[in-house]
Amino acid sequence: MAVVPVILCGGSGTRLWPVSRRDFAKQHVPILGGESPFQRTLQRIAATGLVGTPIVITSVGERFLAADQAAKAGVPIEIVLEPERRDTLPAIAVAAELAARRDPEAMALILPSDHLIPDFDAFARTVHAAAAAAAQGDLVTFGLTPTKPATSYGYIRPGALNGSGSRHIEAFEEKPTAERAAALIAEGCLWNSGMFCFQAKAGIKAIETYAPETAKAVARALAQGEDDLGALRIGPAFADAPKISFDYGIMEKTDRAVVVEADFEWSDIGDWREIWEQSAKDESGVALEGEAVALDVRNSYLRSDGRLVCALGVENIAVVDTPDAVLVAPLDRTQEVKDLVGKLAAQGRAEATEPARVHRPWGWYQTVDQGERFRVKRIQVAPGKQLSLQKHHHRAEHWVVVRGTAEVTRDNELLMVRENESVYLPLGCVHRLANPGKIPVEIIEVQTGAYLEEDDIVRIQDDFGRH
Amino acid sequence: MAVVPVILCGGSGTRLWPVSRRDFAKQHVPILGGESPFQRTLQRIAATGLVGTPIVITSVGERFLAADQAAKAGVPIEIVLEPERRDTLPAIAVAAELAARRDPEAMALILPSDHLIPDFDAFARTVHAAAAAAAQGDLVTFGLTPTKPATSYGYIRPGALNGSGSRHIEAFEEKPTAERAAALIAEGCLWNSGMFCFQAKAGIKAIETYAPETAKAVARALAQGEDDLGALRIGPAFADAPKISFDYGIMEKTDRAVVVEADFEWSDIGDWREIWEQSAKDESGVALEGEAVALDVRNSYLRSDGRLVCALGVENIAVVDTPDAVLVAPLDRTQEVKDLVGKLAAQGRAEATEPARVHRPWGWYQTVDQGERFRVKRIQVAPGKQLSLQKHHHRAEHWVVVRGTAEVTRDNELLMVRENESVYLPLGCVHRLANPGKIPVEIIEVQTGAYLEEDDIVRIQDDFGRH
């Protein structure tokens, strides 16, 4: 049985702000020990013993981050680029089609990228049970045992047991009130996890039946698909697919919807409170991450990215510090952080969407200081990568290499610049920073000039197709 | 009548941590609009119309900061350096002696450096009233009308009115319980402000009578005094003066102690709650300083030094952000910040004592980034100033000038380095950074090497007597 794992990298990056941002969403945030939920998802898939290369459906903005994190996790992936976010049905329609192309008899295993499931063995058992059930032609969803009367999830009422170990779904109920949720739980309802397993051909057939508009738009979009530096870039017809979830569009309509009970600890890390719940805590209920100090603090989460975070005498508080923004909120109101981010975005603040450390296909950069007519950045270039050949109209740059050996193009010169050496790039010169070596190159860049924004760049050649 | 104003720059820098530090104490912190309490004290003195140059008694660690802030406030001062802090009596004994040297009939006006008194006119009226009373030979303290049953202040029970407009003091009571404080206030007691006015000769006589050990130690210490770059450095005998306050040592013993009622708004800025009380607030009681955003927040104080500070759904909270440390505490517990600082100091954390921006006689520096084998600093040199002629054993330095024109000594070379130019200082070279111009010089310094601490410095010549 060929199982094709498909990872959906959605998420707007607001829930774990300020660590997550639009351009650095939840699934890529290193949490609980340094790895991201996306990396853990890749490892969890590998541990099931299913050998198909995972397909990762993501955005142009996060593709290099996904590739980089997958490489660090040691898991090869295929990347599919959505031209825009259209909820889960269009993405899953793409996934079903690509799985069927790989093998007409393939089984598609659809997984969100931002779930935490610590018990890999229990996950693997559930996946195998789901695949066995899906082999009957059913569309299988993973039902989770509720742990609280959550109002933000969908609930599933399981019916009679099938021969294949799954249960028919009697009813779906989305986002009930807390009271209603408690009643649903008492009746044995399960949380709808957003994880699915089905035969690719069964999925395609269901989508053609219940969502023909989506099926057509996705077929056109795939026909328009192009290779983009090794990834599959879906065509613009994707935008014609209605914005709808796979649950609403298919599962609630088909009579082949079944549920397999997933008996494992699970979190979708919906807010900082969940991170706190999952974290190691002291006897006062305080979880510290990074350089944090608490004095007479109870039931709180203190997280630092480097700076010293100190709390005194508070209770039920989350303090989350990043290089450019700090958040303070009661733990039990951290689900409202998205409203705060909305307010910041409405004010046009870059901190709402852009992370302090900006990931690029070649590595990353971070502004570490700025003043009138100057800006200082730290730039890291991965081994074997290079930035575009470029020039600026309004700034000169001084580069000091602090790690590794950089190959610098400056007009007609090609210079090797070693650690503790520097090079000056006058305004208007055509230049490029490359790392031909085996370890990362890091430089400190001092920009001077009257205008120092990212858009003062003329790209002459770029390995990553940017203009 | 020659009035000699004397400003006592004491303070351990813990109460307004993390903005204040041991080496950047409360009186020098820019608050409530950018000026420091020390600068406001200088301006308040100038506004009284008393023309004597203020004597500022401070520590070696803060002398250049005091000089710099006084220059910025446009008020000439004389600086006296205490070799160590010995509470107020020894410092006031020095002040009385120096005032008498300036004029045997001088009147000494003793003022702490960290009080806020917004109404300059009311302050001036009280000073003139105090001076008139002191002209009778009395030792005058300024009594403040209590605004709350504070337990951290001393109380004064005023007695019968003198002909000179002051009142005899019937009793002193230090740090009462809240209940007792309320009773004292009901009886008409006043807060003891720590501000004094007396004839220098009357002060000297009282100290000789009631604190002869202090008088002798101070006399020896002044005899040992030396000029130190224009300041008077008191000799080591100062350490023989007992650590005692002027109130305990003199005012509670002499029968010449009188009080003048000070009828002005006053704060000693004892904690962040007081800053919040003095700040402009919105209708929810929220005071924002710098880049701060509040959503559904009540009665709170949010302060940023640059980064974006966001609070959501909190009440009665202070959030104070600095480049290297952030504090979160309930406003009504900010008086406990000193305990937190004690804990940090016990852990050996530099953030407990050293500010991120380190003030030096020539300007300041601040670390803006660091990594393995490198450190990046921003350095500002004031016009006409220069750093020591120095060398390092373990690091090389790259300097990029981002503002002004620097004069750089490098071994036998003397280089003018303009904005957007750089210079390299190899390991071991003898070098110096100077600003011969009229505007500040700012440079970005990139240090590389295996050891990058401040103590890798060999000073060959220094304008400021450092070794």
Side-chain angles (χ1 to χ4, degrees):
Chain A
M1 179 175 62
V3 173
V4 179
V6 180
I7 301 177
L8 307 180
C9 286
S12 60
T14 60
R15 285 159 169 267
L16 297 186
W17 189 90
V19 173
S20 75
R21 311 276 169 112
R22 182 194 65 198
D23 297 340
F24 188 68
K26 185 173 69 174
Q27 64 268 17
H28 294 305
V29 170
I31 42 175
L32 302 175
E35 289 184 314
S36 71
F38 173 69
Q39 287 174 309
R40 297 217 180 187
T41 301
L42 291 174
Q43 291 160 352
R44 199 161 62 237
I45 290 168
T48 61
L50 303 169
V51 295
T53 301
I55 294 172
V56 175
I57 303 186
T58 187
S59 64
V60 173
E62 292 192 305
R63 62 174 294 186
F64 296 108
L65 198 52
D68 189 44
Q69 292 199 341
K72 284 190 177 126
V75 180
I77 58 172
E78 285 180 17
I79 292 180
V80 176
L81 301 172
E82 287 182 316
E84 60 177 282
R85 297 260 159 84
R86 303 296 298 167
D87 212 332
T88 53
L89 175 52
I92 291 175
V94 166
E97 190 59 47
L98 294 176
R101 285 187 190 176
R102 203 185 278 179
D103 178 348
E105 299 303 317
M107 192 75 81
L109 172 66
I110 311 293
L111 301 172
S113 57
D114 56 356
H115 289 183
L116 285 186
I117 301 167
D119 187 342
F120 282 19
D121 291 341
F123 174 75
R125 284 194 302 275
T126 307
V127 165
H128 285 278
Q136 311 301 316
D138 288 335
L139 307 184
V140 182
T141 185
F142 290 49
L144 297 157
T145 309
T147 52
K148 60 188 175 191
T151 59
S152 56
Y153 299 146
Y155 287 72
I156 292 168
R157 188 189 307 279
L161 201 63
N162 293 318
S164 64
S166 67
R167 291 177 182 274
H168 277 292
I169 297 177
E170 287 187 354
F172 290 86
E173 193 157 334
E174 275 297 309
K175 300 187 182 175
T177 63
E179 199 182 356
R180 178 70 184 145
L184 292 169
I185 293 170
E187 292 169 22
C189 288
L190 303 171
W191 283 342
N192 192 356
S193 68
M195 295 183 267
F196 305 100
C197 188
F198 49 78
Q199 290 174 333
K201 62 186 180 189
I204 291 167
K205 187 175 161 201
I207 293 164
E208 285 171 350
T209 306
Y210 299 105
E213 203 181 340
T214 299
K216 284 176 199 146
V218 165
R220 284 201 309 281
L222 283 171
Q224 296 167 338
E226 290 181 352
D227 177 76
D228 182 332
L229 302 166
L232 171 63
R233 184 191 282 267
I234 303 170
F238 191 70
D240 298 336
K243 236 180 181 168
I244 188 170
S245 76
F246 189 69
D247 283 306
Y248 276 124
I250 304 298
M251 294 298 278
E252 296 193 15
K253 291 178 178 160
T254 177
D255 57 358
R256 301 305 299 263
V258 301
V259 60
V260 162
E261 284 187 56
D263 187 24
F264 44 65
E265 199 186 323
W266 169 91
S267 166
D268 71 345
I269 336 169
D271 53 37
W272 286 110
R273 183 188 168 84
E274 292 199 30
I275 300 268
W276 170 74
E277 282 172 354
Q278 304 268 337
S279 299
K281 294 180 274 291
D282 69 15
E283 65 277 11
S284 302
V286 176
L288 304 177
E289 189 97 29
E291 293 293 297
V293 172
L295 182 62
D296 195 21
V297 171
R298 291 162 53 87
N299 298 330
S300 290
Y301 179 76
L302 308 181
R303 178 185 173 116
S304 163
D305 255 10
R307 187 181 355 274
L308 178 62
V309 169
C310 292
L312 160 70
V314 295
E315 186 162 357
N316 180 39
I317 286 279
V319 182
V320 181
D321 181 75
T322 68
D324 61 345
V326 58
L327 167 73
V328 180
L331 273 175
D332 56 15
R333 292 188 65 179
T334 51
Q335 73 279 14
E336 297 171 48
V337 167
K338 61 183 188 303
D339 303 329
L340 175 68
V341 177
K343 178 173 177 169
L344 298 175
Q347 293 177 351
R349 289 183 184 265
E351 296 92 343
T353 51
E354 293 161 23
R357 181 168 289 185
V358 179
H359 292 267
R360 289 284 184 249
W362 43 261
W364 53 259
Y365 69 83
Q366 184 169 343
T367 294
V368 298
D369 195 17
Q370 54 190 311
E372 206 184 327
R373 295 175 55 85
F374 76 92
R375 183 191 288 263
V376 184
K377 284 180 178 174
R378 195 200 312 190
I379 298 174
Q380 187 181 93
V381 187
K385 298 288 172 64
Q386 60 181 1
L387 282 70
S388 60
L389 184 68
Q390 58 188 241
K391 65 177 180 177
H392 311 292
H393 289 125
H394 300 290
R395 66 179 187 250
E397 294 174 347
H398 296 258
W399 292 348
V400 181
V401 176
V402 293
R403 185 180 179 201
T405 299
E407 183 187 86
V408 177
T409 303
R410 182 173 62 179
D411 289 327
N412 297 320
E413 296 172 279
L414 189 65
L415 312 162
M416 295 305 288
V417 187
R418 281 162 285 266
E419 188 176 309
N420 191 32
E421 294 181 347
S422 71
V423 61
Y424 174 62
L425 304 158
L427 192 154
C429 86
V430 173
H431 60 277
R432 163 172 257 164
L433 174 61
N435 179 3
K438 300 295 181 193
I439 60 165
V441 158
E442 273 186 39
I443 70 165
I444 300 298
E445 173 179 278
V446 182
Q447 307 176 347
T448 61
Y451 181 80
L452 301 169
E453 299 306 317
E454 286 304 310
D455 60 356
D456 175 22
I457 186 165
V458 179
R459 289 203 175 88
I460 295 138
Q461 192 278 327
D462 184 38
D463 289 355
F464 310 104
R466 300 170 301 170
H467 305 288
Chain B
M1 182 175 60
V3 173
V4 178
V6 180
I7 301 177
L8 306 180
C9 284
S12 59
T14 60
R15 285 159 169 267
L16 297 185
W17 190 91
V19 173
S20 74
R21 311 276 169 111
R22 182 195 64 197
D23 298 340
F24 189 67
K26 187 173 69 174
Q27 65 267 16
H28 294 304
V29 170
I31 43 177
L32 303 174
E35 288 184 315
S36 71
F38 172 69
Q39 287 174 309
R40 296 215 181 189
T41 301
L42 291 174
Q43 291 161 352
R44 200 162 60 237
I45 289 169
T48 60
L50 304 170
V51 294
T53 301
I55 294 173
V56 174
I57 303 186
T58 187
S59 65
V60 173
E62 292 193 305
R63 64 175 291 188
F64 296 107
L65 198 53
D68 189 45
Q69 292 198 341
K72 285 190 176 123
V75 179
I77 58 172
E78 285 179 19
I79 292 180
V80 176
L81 301 173
E82 285 182 318
E84 61 177 279
R85 298 260 159 84
R86 304 294 301 168
D87 211 334
T88 51
L89 174 52
I92 292 175
V94 167
E97 189 59 45
L98 294 176
R101 285 187 191 177
R102 204 185 278 179
D103 178 347
E105 299 302 316
M107 192 76 79
L109 173 66
I110 311 292
L111 301 173
S113 57
D114 56 357
H115 288 183
L116 285 186
I117 301 167
D119 187 342
F120 283 18
D121 290 341
F123 174 74
R125 284 195 302 274
T126 308
V127 165
H128 285 277
Q136 311 301 316
D138 288 334
L139 307 184
V140 182
T141 185
F142 290 48
L144 298 158
T145 309
T147 53
K148 60 190 175 189
T151 59
S152 56
Y153 299 146
Y155 287 73
I156 292 169
R157 188 189 306 279
L161 201 63
N162 294 318
S164 64
S166 66
R167 289 177 184 275
H168 278 291
I169 298 177
E170 288 187 356
F172 290 87
E173 194 158 333
E174 274 298 307
K175 300 185 179 174
T177 63
E179 198 182 356
R180 177 71 185 146
L184 291 171
I185 294 169
E187 292 169 22
C189 289
L190 303 171
W191 284 342
N192 192 357
S193 68
M195 295 183 267
F196 305 99
C197 189
F198 49 78
Q199 288 173 335
K201 62 186 179 188
I204 292 168
K205 188 178 160 199
I207 293 165
E208 286 171 349
T209 305
Y210 299 106
E213 203 182 340
T214 300
K216 283 175 202 148
V218 165
R220 283 200 311 279
L222 283 172
Q224 295 167 336
E226 289 180 354
D227 177 77
D228 182 332
L229 302 165
L232 171 62
R233 183 191 282 266
I234 303 171
F238 191 69
D240 299 335
K243 237 179 181 170
I244 188 169
S245 75
F246 190 68
D247 283 306
Y248 277 124
I250 305 297
M251 294 298 278
E252 297 193 15
K253 292 179 177 160
T254 177
D255 57 358
R256 303 304 300 263
V258 301
V259 59
V260 163
E261 284 188 56
D263 188 23
F264 44 65
E265 199 187 323
W266 170 92
S267 167
D268 71 346
I269 336 169
D271 53 38
W272 286 110
R273 183 188 168 84
E274 292 200 30
I275 300 269
W276 171 73
E277 283 173 353
Q278 302 269 336
S279 299
K281 294 179 274 291
D282 68 15
E283 66 276 9
S284 303
V286 176
L288 304 177
E289 188 96 27
E291 292 294 295
V293 172
L295 183 61
D296 196 19
V297 170
R298 291 161 53 86
N299 299 330
S300 292
Y301 178 77
L302 309 181
R303 179 186 174 115
S304 162
D305 254 11
R307 185 182 357 275
L308 178 61
V309 169
C310 292
L312 160 70
V314 295
E315 186 162 357
N316 180 39
I317 287 279
V319 182
V320 180
D321 182 74
T322 68
D324 61 345
V326 57
L327 167 74
V328 180
L331 272 176
D332 56 15
R333 293 188 63 178
T334 51
Q335 73 279 14
E336 297 171 48
V337 166
K338 62 183 187 302
D339 303 328
L340 175 67
V341 177
K343 178 173 176 168
L344 298 174
Q347 293 177 352
R349 289 184 182 265
E351 296 92 343
T353 51
E354 293 161 22
R357 181 166 290 184
V358 179
H359 292 267
R360 289 285 184 247
W362 43 261
W364 53 260
Y365 69 84
Q366 183 168 345
T367 294
V368 298
D369 195 16
Q370 55 189 311
E372 207 183 327
R373 295 173 55 83
F374 76 92
R375 182 191 290 264
V376 184
K377 284 181 178 174
R378 195 201 310 189
I379 299 174
Q380 187 181 92
V381 187
K385 297 288 170 66
Q386 60 181 0
L387 283 70
S388 60
L389 185 68
Q390 58 188 239
K391 65 177 179 177
H392 311 293
H393 290 124
H394 301 288
R395 68 179 187 250
E397 294 175 346
H398 297 256
W399 292 349
V400 180
V401 176
V402 294
R403 185 178 179 204
T405 300
E407 183 188 87
V408 177
T409 303
R410 182 173 62 179
D411 289 328
N412 297 319
E413 296 172 280
L414 190 66
L415 312 162
M416 295 305 289
V417 187
R418 280 162 286 266
E419 188 177 309
N420 190 35
E421 293 181 346
S422 70
V423 63
Y424 174 61
L425 304 158
L427 192 155
C429 86
V430 173
H431 60 277
R432 165 172 256 165
L433 175 61
N435 179 3
K438 300 294 182 195
I439 61 166
V441 159
E442 273 186 38
I443 71 164
I444 300 298
E445 172 180 278
V446 183
Q447 307 175 347
T448 60
Y451 181 79
L452 302 169
E453 300 306 317
E454 286 304 310
D455 59 357
D456 175 22
I457 186 165
V458 179
R459 289 202 175 91
I460 295 138
Q461 192 278 328
D462 184 38
D463 289 356
F464 310 104
R466 299 171 302 170
H467 304 288

